[in-house]
Amino acid sequence: RQNDPLGALDAAEKGVTLEPDLPEAQYFGGGLHYMLAEHPRCDVAVAVERLAEAIRLQPLFHPAWIVLGATATFLGQLDAADRILTHA
């Protein structure tokens, strides 16, 4: 994340590969795919999947809920964003 999007993406992929059951790894990877949505290696659908997995692994992981809500807003899914952020 130190102005090195490719390095951050590589680190996120490595984290998810090495520890797929670690909510923070899923959150970091999902957050990057959302924040770098226009980068050719990013996919907002991956952001949704990873953030949802972080929440499944740790339901009270509030940052994941907030970024998932922001991602839904970014995708124009305003009803879903409202539900997600209200739940958060």
Side-chain angles (χ1 to χ4, degrees):
R1 292 178 17 191
Q2 300 169 347
N3 201 26
D4 180 11
L6 292 177
L9 287 166
D10 289 341
E13 291 302 317
K14 183 176 181 180
V16 170
T17 299
L18 293 175
E19 295 195 60
D21 292 335
L22 183 67
E24 292 82 1
Q26 297 288 344
Y27 167 73
F28 182 69
L32 280 172
H33 278 270
Y34 162 66
M35 290 185 288
L36 300 173
E38 295 181 3
H39 192 281
R41 278 188 46 196
C42 290
D43 182 345
V44 179
V46 172
V48 172
E49 292 170 11
R50 297 250 170 98
L51 293 164
E53 181 63 5
I55 291 166
R56 186 191 71 76
L57 292 167
Q58 188 174 333
L60 297 179
F61 191 9
H62 294 92
W65 284 97
I66 292 168
V67 177
L68 182 59
T71 304
T73 301
F74 175 79
L75 292 170
Q77 300 168 351
L78 302 183
D79 290 339
D82 183 54
R83 284 191 305 276
I84 292 163
L85 294 170
T86 297
H87 186 80

